[in-house]
Amino acid sequence: MTTTLNRPRPRVLVAVGSLVAAVLVALLPLPPTTSAAAADGGAEDSGVTQTGKKGKYDDFSDLRVTVDQTKDLRGQGVRVSWEGGAPTTPGSARGNYLQIMQCWGDDPDGPDREQCVFGAGGVLPGSSTYSRAVSSSADPAETRSDFVPFRPANGEAPTAEAFDNTYFGPLDTNEQNFNRTFANGTGEVEFEVQDGIQADYLGCGVNTAPAGSTPAPRPCWLVVVPRGTHKPTGDAVDPDNVSSTLTTSPLSATDWSQRIAFRLDFLPVDNFCPEGRAERPVTGSELAADAVSSWQPKLCSSTDTAFSYDPAGEESARIGVSSTTTDAPLLGVTVDPVTRVEGQPDVVHAPVAVSGLAIGFFIESPNRGAMPELKLTPRLVAKMLTHSYVRTVPWNNGSPTPEHVKGNPQSYFDDPEFKELNPEFAEFANDGQPSAQLSLMVPTGNSDTTRLLWNWLQSDSEARDFLSGKPDPWGMRMNSYFQGLGLDEDTSLSDFPKNDPTTVLGVGAEEATGIEDLPTYGITALDPFTDDLHDGALRTRRGNNNNKVLYDPTSVNRTELKNLPGKRTVMAVVDAVSAERYGLSTAALRNAAGQFVKPTTDTLLKGVAAMQPSPDNAGVLKPDPARAKGQAYPLTAVTYAAASVNQGATDRKAYADFIRFAAGPGQTPGLSAGELPYGYAPLPADLREQAETAADDLERGAVPDDGDDPDPDDPGGADSGGLASGGGDTAGTSSGTDAGGVSSGGESGGDNTNASASESAAGNGSASAAGAQQNVADAKTGFTPGEVLGIIRWVLLVVLFLGGAAGLAGPIMLRLSQRRTP
């Protein structure tokens, strides 16, 4: 009798193998995708948590404070959060809150109190709680009887008065004198740290090493002083008496002894290029300023060239590029292309950055802290830009409502459209005085990005109707002074008009007696322009728009009216990179598909993928909010490096190397010098290839011409690498797709950004040049490689599973049929 072994059949083995493979595929990790926010790794891992200690009268040993980033810092925002604290006593400065300040100091054990920025941001002048005033009568441990002077790091004389604004004042101090702890014992704020360029009296990041030795950037300190419910004398705050408050400064000896100090390490701010290096100017869009600032140190070491950057605006860049000569080399950065006039030299356009505009906000609830979310429609933004709310025009409380805004809501908080979209802001309606900071801050001057914002409004039928003078469904009308400006149809509009000529008495002036010619203020004093997008982000972070409406008989000029801590309400048009840099919340904006979208890596890349070639140059993608659908962000922009071939060979080679770095190593997201600051999206692969081709063309100095006309619908169909030839009838990407590159956030306008690695927020390395992995998105789809692999993985998973199931089904059905056969 022969025995037959039950060996597995081949089809069963294959089926089982398919199912096992499906499980393994499901478990495989994917490459990480990045967002406009900081990803994990690098300097983001430098967060530090420290615990408070028990004092003589108050116990802070359960208080745990965390600073989310302490290394590779520049002028930026850092998040300070805490838990385990006692809830803040109701009423201003009554107890259980945190005071935060920045200090300099070379001692590894931390700074002394004379090295700390504090005492200029007080909202209660004369209250020691917010000043540098100290006395032994209020604090038995105190040895001084006047004030704690501020001693600057740059060696200049210390301050001579308790309220001395020699080094810092109400408009530039970064101190936070009242941070609330909520009922659950937690709190969180964004703190602005300043480097040695913004605050030379702190000197953070300045080289302190002797000449010729290894650079040693000066560290600084973030100091938290927790305040309990006891005064240094031991007297407790009376919880039933609103007027019972803490009365001593955090710099007073007993309060200072409770401090928690965090060391902060800054990127170097000194000149990073050795003397004698050739310097070549770059000018143009503010959207590229942060990226170029980050790239400068690595460009210096890799190209032996010092590239300066002047964010003078796109139109200035286009004019400069068009007039470039061999004696005046220039690289311009622009959003809209340089239109070449017949007979002028050819111009290369190379995509270098993807970013966009944003609306950043800092709106505080007295009970909940900073509000994190906000939705805005184009019509709501149109109402803000035209000063159509009553409290956004000059008006004295108690006076009749101005005719040009009569019948309109007091503020956007009272607007039915706003309340329907943002019900969580209900507590803000009818809160505050007419002079409160409720306008939308906008930058001065003309720019391509301002035109992009107006084009977004004009692409929306509701906003367009409002700008044409039609009322909204609730009867609100545009401020009549803004009618007739063509805001609804002028697609070339590139500035923000403030057309309301109304002036009124300064706040408080009506109470003055016996004074002639009392000062008045107008709309630009109530709502001043910002210097640029970066300045708007910085003012928003500080919670103050610098308005000048308060009448002060002791001052020659009008003085600023600040919002109180816990009641700051500030909003501004900023760039996505500056918003990320200072930790601002950004509004979700409604796009052409009706979706509310924030600027992130994915939404910016989807915005690029929706763009079409510019009618003036097929090699440049034109921002088009009307095409931003799905999850595409409507205010996305691609910035291009433009350079004329009418330059010397050495200059062309240097600028070509700049472009290659920008499109290569410069696209690695990170915080270190040479990397791409967060807030940008990595340049898509096809635009990187276009940039490489444009760099080659620029270095050669001539336009390849094979006689073929480029296809206007295919920016990659020509072989000129983005050169503006003919009358702007030109080519684009080498890869033949219509998608976009990378753009950046702004640095403050006017100053050359040629010295400071600390002014950068980006990191080094790339897959092509330094071996680091880059997250490059596909421009056609807007997907990053991780997302694409994720889709492929699940498709493969389904295929393998179905294959395995089918492979097992046959033997199983055969076995069943055999059992049923007699």
Side-chain angles (χ1 to χ4, degrees):
M1 180 177 175
T2 303
T3 302
T4 304
L5 296 177
N6 292 322
R7 294 186 177 90
R9 294 182 176 87
R11 64 184 302 172
V12 174
L13 290 175
V14 172
V16 173
S18 296
L19 291 176
V20 172
V23 173
L24 291 175
V25 169
L27 295 176
L28 283 175
L30 289 176
T33 59
T34 60
S35 69
D40 292 335
E44 297 89 343
D45 293 335
S46 64
V48 174
T49 298
Q50 293 194 54
T51 303
K53 51 192 173 184
K54 186 174 182 179
K56 188 174 181 180
Y57 304 110
D58 290 300
D59 186 2
F60 301 109
S61 56
D62 289 333
L63 178 67
R64 293 176 298 282
V65 181
T66 299
V67 178
D68 74 335
Q69 182 187 341
T70 62
K71 296 183 182 299
D72 286 348
L73 294 166
R74 53 182 181 147
Q76 64 175 82
V78 297
R79 184 148 301 173
V80 183
S81 58
W82 60 95
E83 60 183 4
T88 298
T89 307
S92 177
R94 296 194 59 214
N96 294 327
Y97 58 93
L98 270 58
Q99 296 182 292
I100 308 176
M101 63 197 79
Q102 185 176 350
C103 313
W104 69 276
D106 301 325
D107 190 329
D109 293 330
D112 64 46
R113 54 185 180 164
E114 292 186 1
Q115 298 170 309
C116 295
V117 173
F118 194 84
V123 293
L124 298 175
S127 170
S128 297
T129 308
Y130 302 130
S131 80
R132 305 185 73 88
V134 296
S135 72
S136 56
S137 61
D139 183 355
E142 182 55 58
T143 58
R144 301 186 65 102
S145 58
D146 47 4
F147 65 95
V148 176
F150 174 73
R151 179 162 45 89
N154 56 16
E156 297 182 11
T159 53
E161 300 177 20
F163 294 95
D164 189 335
N165 295 338
T166 300
Y167 300 109
F168 50 89
L171 297 183
D172 59 5
T173 183
N174 60 354
E175 67 195 79
Q176 295 185 358
N177 48 38
F178 184 77
N179 292 298
R180 183 183 301 273
T181 299
F182 295 100
N184 61 359
T186 68
E188 182 176 276
V189 296
E190 198 79 19
F191 183 86
E192 177 206 345
V193 295
Q194 298 176 346
D195 63 22
I197 290 180
Q198 295 172 305
D200 62 344
Y201 48 82
L202 287 171
C204 309
V206 172
N207 183 24
T208 59
S213 58
T214 302
R218 167 174 282 141
C220 277
W221 302 85
L222 185 146
V223 172
V224 177
V225 178
R227 308 301 297 271
T229 56
H230 290 83
K231 303 173 185 179
T233 58
D235 297 330
V237 172
D238 182 356
D240 298 321
N241 183 357
V242 176
S243 62
S244 177
T245 63
L246 299 177
T247 56
T248 52
S249 167
L251 303 182
S252 190
T254 298
D255 300 321
W256 180 251
S257 68
Q258 306 287 337
R259 69 191 180 280
I260 307 170
F262 297 81
R263 177 184 166 115
L264 305 176
D265 289 298
F266 282 75
L267 293 166
V269 300
D270 302 274
N271 195 339
F272 42 73
C273 261
E275 293 184 6
R277 293 285 175 90
E279 181 173 327
R280 289 180 173 82
V282 183
T283 187
S285 177
E286 190 186 349
L287 288 185
D290 265 4
V292 176
S293 179
S294 172
W295 298 335
Q296 283 172 327
K298 296 300 180 180
L299 282 166
C300 177
S301 60
S302 63
T303 67
D304 292 332
T305 301
F307 292 97
S308 64
Y309 193 76
D310 180 13
E314 297 89 357
E315 185 59 29
S316 175
R318 284 189 286 270
I319 293 173
V321 169
S322 296
S323 59
T324 298
T325 67
T326 54
D327 296 326
L330 181 70
L331 183 74
V333 181
T334 183
V335 176
D336 294 335
V338 178
T339 302
R340 191 181 70 85
V341 178
E342 186 68 29
Q344 287 185 339
D346 295 307
V347 174
V348 165
H349 288 85
V352 293
V354 172
S355 184
L357 291 182
I359 295 181
F361 65 94
F362 181 22
I363 301 177
E364 284 183 307
S365 163
N367 300 315
R368 291 180 286 170
M371 304 295 286
E373 302 294 335
L374 178 67
K375 293 180 180 178
L376 293 176
T377 64
R379 182 167 58 196
L380 281 170
V381 176
K383 294 173 181 179
M384 296 176 187
L385 291 178
T386 56
H387 291 261
S388 296
Y389 295 109
V390 175
R391 284 163 57 188
T392 61
V393 300
W395 172 53
N396 284 331
N397 193 23
S399 301
T401 302
E403 286 295 325
H404 50 290
V405 291
K406 192 171 184 178
N408 288 351
Q410 294 285 303
S411 73
Y412 47 82
F413 294 133
D414 305 289
D415 188 339
E417 181 179 6
F418 182 90
K419 292 194 289 187
E420 183 178 314
L421 281 175
N422 303 282
E424 63 274 22
F425 284 84
E427 67 181 276
F428 292 85
N430 295 313
D431 178 36
Q433 298 299 315
S435 55
Q437 299 166 11
L438 292 171
S439 300
L440 175 62
M441 293 188 289
V442 295
T444 187
N446 300 78
S447 72
D448 294 356
T449 53
T450 297
R451 182 163 46 250
L452 168 59
L453 182 56
W454 284 114
N455 291 165
W456 173 53
L457 304 186
Q458 293 160 351
S459 70
D460 181 85
S461 60
E462 294 177 351
R464 191 168 60 249
D465 285 346
F466 184 83
L467 293 172
S468 71
K470 296 179 182 178
D472 74 359
W474 300 273
M476 180 176 177
R477 292 182 179 273
M478 182 173 66
N479 183 334
S480 58
Y481 286 119
F482 286 80
Q483 293 183 6
L485 301 181
L487 303 181
D488 60 323
E489 58 183 4
D490 184 359
T491 58
S492 65
L493 188 64
S494 62
D495 68 335
F496 292 109
K498 289 186 181 290
N499 234 41
D500 191 329
T502 309
T503 59
V504 299
L505 286 176
V507 176
E510 63 274 2
E511 301 174 2
T513 58
I515 300 177
E516 298 181 359
D517 299 325
L518 289 172
T520 60
Y521 71 90
I523 198 165
T524 55
L526 174 67
D527 183 26
F529 283 106
T530 61
D531 293 337
D532 47 40
L533 299 170
H534 176 267
D535 181 50
L538 188 56
R539 290 196 206 176
T540 304
R541 177 71 282 143
R542 293 173 178 172
N544 186 25
N545 75 348
N546 296 4
N547 65 11
K548 302 281 187 178
V549 301
L550 181 65
Y551 170 68
D552 181 0
T554 66
S555 174
V556 176
N557 301 313
R558 294 160 294 182
T559 58
E560 69 280 351
L561 180 64
K562 297 183 65 176
N563 281 342
L564 303 180
K567 293 186 177 181
R568 286 167 289 198
T569 306
V570 187
M571 190 181 301
V573 175
V574 302
D575 59 282
V577 178
S578 292
E580 182 68 34
R581 175 172 176 171
Y582 289 105
L584 298 180
S585 296
T586 56
L589 306 181
R590 194 178 71 188
N591 66 13
Q595 301 294 316
F596 287 91
V597 185
K598 291 184 179 183
T600 67
T601 295
D602 291 341
T603 62
L604 289 171
L605 289 173
K606 286 179 170 63
V608 172
M611 295 179 185
Q612 291 291 300
S614 167
D616 298 320
N617 187 317
V620 173
L621 294 173
K622 180 177 178 58
D624 187 357
R627 295 178 55 85
K629 299 181 180 180
Q631 285 298 302
Y633 185 65
L635 300 183
T636 304
V638 181
T639 48
Y640 289 80
S644 170
V645 299
N646 189 29
Q647 305 184 67
T650 303
D651 296 311
R652 293 200 313 273
K653 171 66 165 60
Y655 285 135
D657 288 341
F658 177 100
I659 293 170
R660 293 183 183 110
F661 183 92
Q667 294 304 309
T668 301
L671 294 171
S672 299
E675 293 179 341
L676 187 69
Y678 294 115
Y680 291 99
L683 196 64
D686 59 334
L687 292 189
R688 290 181 61 188
E689 186 176 347
Q690 177 187 352
E692 292 281 354
T693 301
D696 293 343
D697 291 341
L698 176 61
E699 186 171 353
R700 283 194 299 268
V703 183
D705 186 6
D706 55 8
D708 294 332
D709 293 328
D711 181 355
D713 295 325
D714 180 9
D719 54 6
S720 67
L723 286 167
S725 55
D729 216 6
T730 148
T733 67
S734 308
S735 57
T737 64
D738 46 355
V742 157
S743 145
S744 154
E747 193 55 65
S748 72
D751 295 333
N752 277 358
T753 316
N754 181 37
S756 166
S758 79
E759 292 298 82
S760 61
N764 193 6
S766 78
S768 60
Q773 182 181 12
Q774 294 189 43
N775 189 29
V776 181
D778 183 285
K780 293 180 181 178
T781 64
F783 291 128
T784 62
E787 293 173 309
V788 174
L789 287 177
I791 296 171
I792 294 173
R793 180 179 72 172
W794 289 109
V795 171
L796 180 59
L797 175 63
V798 171
V799 171
L800 290 172
F801 182 82
L802 292 176
L808 290 176
I812 292 173
M813 294 302 296
L814 181 60
R815 180 63 57 87
L816 289 175
S817 65
Q818 290 174 342
R819 287 182 178 179
R820 292 182 180 182
T821 301

